[in-house]
Amino acid sequence: GDSVTQMEGPVTLSEEAFLTINCTYTATGYPSLFWYVQYPGEGLQLLLKATKADDKGSNKGFEATYRKETTSFHLEKGSVQVSDSAVYFCALSINQFYFGTGTSLTVIP
Amino acid sequence: DAGVIQSPRHEVTEMGQEVTLRCKPISGHDYLFWYRQTMMRGLELLIYFNNNVPIDDSGMPEDRFSAKMPNASFSTLKIQPSEPRDSAVYFCASSFLGGNEQFFGPGTRLTVL
């Protein structure tokens, strides 16, 4: 069935380090792909999305490219900040939404 | 728009009591979702509605849980009787069309003693 698999956490990085959180998907058809972020004590909020192959979603310095050939949508940021500490969820949508298990990121000064 | 509104934000109750969680979706959205989040199980979809009609309740853990959507602007999730293992954060989310971005509320943190 349709699903997403994302990198296990937790991830701890120093400020200004490069971030990659891996996400791969399985889908019948052509899904839309999303990254959501959940800050402590809050609900999930959309970070970025891509709706077709080779699209790149970007927001707040984060990027992810929809790779159909590798069925991936990895999240990247060139220089993380302490304020990026949160849980990140990969998700796909094809008639229904499927969320990954979440990856906790802690950025230390 | 105020976004998805949930109440209460925190609920502490004793085992065996009835708990009712409330949600007001974003105006114009036709899908409403209830999720539960715990450290052990992560984010779980409990039930979702389309145009006020329950479409899939396969995630509802047992008969103690029930959800209603009497109109387009209000939904409830009820647990009766509550048990300590129901302690979790419960999120409501809404979207326009099923596959579009979901907008989440701030959640209700439920503690059952």
Side-chain angles (χ1 to χ4, degrees):
Chain A
D2 302 325
S3 66
V4 291
T5 301
Q6 65 180 101
M7 189 170 110
E8 293 274 338
V11 175
T12 301
L13 295 173
S14 297
E15 206 165 23
E16 299 184 3
F18 185 85
L19 168 71
T20 300
I21 301 178
N22 290 337
C23 173
T24 57
Y25 69 89
T26 301
T28 52
Y30 304 96
S32 295
L33 300 172
F34 305 80
W35 277 101
Y36 278 76
V37 59
Q38 183 180 28
Y39 299 105
E42 298 183 12
L44 281 70
Q45 55 185 276
L46 181 67
L47 179 60
L48 54 84
K49 67 179 182 182
T51 58
K52 61 183 188 297
D54 299 325
D55 270 1
K56 177 186 284 188
S58 61
N59 185 24
K60 299 181 181 179
F62 290 89
E63 293 183 340
T65 301
Y66 189 145
R67 302 282 188 201
K68 187 169 179 289
E69 63 276 14
T70 54
T71 62
S72 64
F73 192 57
H74 304 321
L75 183 68
E76 297 181 337
K77 186 174 186 182
S79 176
V80 294
Q81 305 301 311
V82 172
S83 57
D84 294 326
S85 298
V87 180
Y88 293 82
F89 293 86
C90 185
L92 75 81
S93 169
I94 184 162
N95 301 319
Q96 190 171 340
F97 243 80
Y98 299 90
F99 282 93
T101 53
T103 301
S104 174
L105 169 67
T106 300
V107 180
I108 54 177
Chain B
D1 198 320
V4 176
I5 299 172
Q6 292 187 247
S7 65
R9 291 295 309 276
H10 301 273
E11 175 80 31
V12 180
T13 191
E14 293 188 345
M15 183 173 63
Q17 296 298 304
E18 177 180 297
V19 174
T20 300
L21 312 181
R22 297 172 176 80
C23 175
K24 176 178 168 53
I26 292 173
S27 177
H29 283 187
D30 56 348
Y31 278 80
L32 183 139
F33 307 83
W34 281 102
Y35 291 89
R36 178 172 69 176
Q37 187 178 40
T38 61
M39 289 294 292
M40 291 295 293
R41 301 173 69 92
L43 190 67
E44 304 172 275
L45 176 64
L46 300 178
I47 185 172
Y48 73 93
F49 296 82
N50 176 219
N51 291 323
N52 313 338
V53 176
I55 302 301
D56 184 353
D57 65 354
S58 60
M60 297 285 262
E62 47 196 279
D63 291 346
R64 298 184 297 106
F65 287 69
S66 63
K68 294 182 179 179
M69 192 165 186
N71 57 61
S73 59
F74 184 65
S75 177
T76 60
L77 178 68
K78 185 177 293 188
I79 308 173
Q80 165 63 14
S82 59
E83 297 183 2
R85 60 194 168 117
D86 301 331
S87 298
V89 181
Y90 291 81
F91 289 104
C92 175
S94 70
S95 71
F96 176 63
L97 300 180
N100 284 349
E101 174 190 355
Q102 292 186 13
F103 292 80
F104 280 73
T108 295
R109 180 173 295 277
L110 173 64
T111 302
V112 183
L113 303 175

